[in-house]
Amino acid sequence: MKRVSVVILNWNGVDMLRKFIPSVMDNSVGEGIEICVADNASSDGSLEMLRSEFPVVRLIELDQNYGFAEGYNRALEQVDAEYVVLLNSDVEVTPHWLEPLLDYMDTHSGTVACQPKLLSWHNKEYFEYAGFIDRYGYPFCRGRIFDVVEKDCGQYDTVTEVMWVTGAALFIRLADYREVGGLDGHFFAHMEEIDLCWRLRSRGKKLVCIPQSVVYHVGGATLKKENPRKTFLNFRNNLLMLYKNLPDKELEHVLFIRGILDRVAALVFYLKKDRANARAVMQARREFE
C-alpha cells in the first residue's frame, strides 16, 4: 500500500499537464508517494506526451470521458493508498506541500479530509478559496466573496474547520472516501466535492484547511465561468445536493426559496442579454424538477 497517491484527472489538458506536472513531481517526493494521471479518454495526445516526457508518472487510462466525479471514482478503484489527493491539472504545488497535510491527518483521526491554502496562480498574493455554504446552498469562501478576493496577509494562517474542502486539492483518507460511496457520478462535474463533504460531515467527520501547505490554482481551465454548460451544472447539481442532504423539515422551505432565487438569476442573465446562461438556469431547474 502506498502512503499517498496524488491523482490528477485529465481530459484533453495536455498543455496544463505539461505546465504543472513538473511542480508536482519536484515537490511530492518521499517514501510511499506516487503521482498518477487518470485520463478520461483524451484525444489531444495527453497520454503520448506523458509517456514521452514524464515516464515515471503512473497512468490510469479510462475508456471514456466520465467527467470529474465518476472519473475519480473509477480511477481510485485502481489506487491502493492510505491517503489520496484529488489534484486539479491546473494546480502548481510548492515545496513540502504534502508534509503539513500528512502530519495533521496522522495526528487527528477525527479529521477525514483537508486542503491546503489555495491562492490564485494569476496573482499569487491573493486567495482562491476555501469553503462554507449558506442555508440555501450557495457556496461562499474564506478569502473570496463572489468576484472580490482578499490579499493573503496571514489573516487565515491558522488551521480552521470548514464545511467543504476544494476539489482542486482534496486530501482525504481513501477508506473514508470509499465508505461514503465517493463522489456522486450523477453530478458529472461541479459541486460534487461539496456533496461528498456534506455526507462526510453528516457522519461526524471533520474537514479542515491547513494553511501551512500552499498551492496555486489557475481555475476555470476546463469550463470558463461564463460558460452555459458550467452554469447548468452548477445550478442543477446544487439543487441535487440540497435534495440529497437537507433534513426533510428544511427541504420544502429551502427549495421554495431557491425556486424564486433561481428564476431571479435567470432574469438577471436575460436582462444582461446573456440568453444562453438564462436558458441554462431554467434547464437546470427543469431537469431537477
Side-chain angles (χ1 to χ4, degrees):
M1 176 185 287
K2 297 292 184 181
R3 182 91 160 105
V4 181
S5 285
V6 180
V7 184
I8 300 167
L9 188 69
N10 175 64
W11 181 68
N12 288 342
V14 64
D15 293 334
M16 285 291 175
L17 290 173
R18 183 179 277 121
K19 186 177 187 67
F20 291 110
I21 275 190
S23 79
V24 181
M25 294 180 61
D26 292 344
N27 298 311
S28 309
V29 295
E31 186 176 353
I33 297 173
E34 69 171 354
I35 301 167
C36 308
V37 171
D39 187 76
N40 260 330
S42 293
S43 58
D44 67 344
S46 292
L47 290 172
E48 293 78 6
M49 183 277 292
L50 290 166
R51 292 190 181 101
S52 172
E53 299 180 25
F54 305 102
V56 299
V57 172
R58 179 188 169 200
L59 300 181
I60 300 173
E61 299 182 47
L62 303 177
D63 62 343
Q64 66 183 65
N65 180 13
Y66 290 100
F68 187 92
E70 186 61 18
Y72 262 119
N73 288 341
R74 290 175 180 260
L76 296 188
E77 288 175 358
Q78 302 181 48
V79 168
D80 183 23
E82 182 178 2
Y83 300 107
V84 292
V85 188
L86 281 59
L87 187 70
N88 277 14
S89 60
D90 60 344
V91 170
E92 176 186 338
V93 304
T94 61
H96 311 293
W97 72 291
L98 284 175
E99 293 173 14
L101 307 177
L102 269 170
D103 290 345
Y104 189 93
M105 295 291 284
D106 281 345
T107 54
H108 294 78
S109 60
T111 300
V112 66
C114 63
Q115 70 162 74
K117 179 193 288 187
L118 202 68
L119 299 175
S120 170
W121 184 82
H122 295 288
N123 192 341
K124 293 185 175 180
E125 294 183 337
Y126 285 80
F127 285 98
E128 250 272 319
Y129 58 86
F132 299 88
I133 190 168
D134 72 15
R135 68 174 301 189
Y136 298 113
Y138 296 109
F140 62 96
C141 312
R142 273 175 103 203
R144 187 182 77 184
I145 299 294
F146 297 110
D147 291 329
V148 179
V149 294
E150 295 179 43
K151 186 175 182 179
D152 178 18
C153 300
Q155 66 269 45
Y156 301 125
D157 276 356
T158 55
V159 175
T160 303
E161 188 172 348
V162 292
M163 296 177 70
W164 56 277
V165 296
T166 173
L170 195 165
F171 188 107
I172 187 168
R173 302 178 198 275
L174 183 55
D176 288 295
Y177 180 95
R178 289 172 172 163
E179 182 182 344
V180 296
L183 298 168
D184 187 335
H186 293 96
F187 281 46
F188 191 79
H190 301 297
M191 300 280 175
E192 66 288 309
E193 80 270 35
I194 306 179
D195 171 68
L196 171 66
C197 291
W198 199 330
R199 284 182 277 129
L200 290 165
R201 290 179 63 250
S202 71
R203 289 160 172 79
K205 306 290 186 179
K206 293 182 179 179
L207 308 109
V208 299
C209 179
I210 301 176
Q212 290 71 35
S213 171
V214 177
V215 303
Y216 301 100
H217 184 215
V218 173
T222 303
L223 290 176
K224 303 301 181 185
K225 180 177 68 172
E226 66 276 8
N227 187 294
R229 174 64 173 168
K230 185 169 187 174
T231 298
F232 166 77
L233 289 170
N234 275 326
F235 275 81
R236 185 202 64 176
N237 292 351
N238 190 269
L239 291 167
L240 289 173
M241 177 183 67
L242 293 173
Y243 183 79
K244 288 175 58 181
N245 294 290
L246 275 177
D248 290 343
K249 63 182 180 181
E250 296 180 35
L251 184 61
E252 183 177 356
H253 169 73
V254 169
L255 290 182
F256 174 76
I257 298 297
R258 275 298 303 272
I260 297 171
L261 295 175
D262 290 351
R263 287 169 174 82
V264 170
L267 178 61
V268 170
F269 279 127
Y270 185 82
L271 293 175
K272 291 180 177 179
K273 302 186 185 305
D274 188 351
R275 296 185 179 183
N277 274 304
R279 287 193 296 269
V281 174
M282 298 313 297
Q283 181 188 357
R285 289 213 57 89
R286 286 193 297 271
E287 185 162 317
F288 169 70
E289 292 170 354

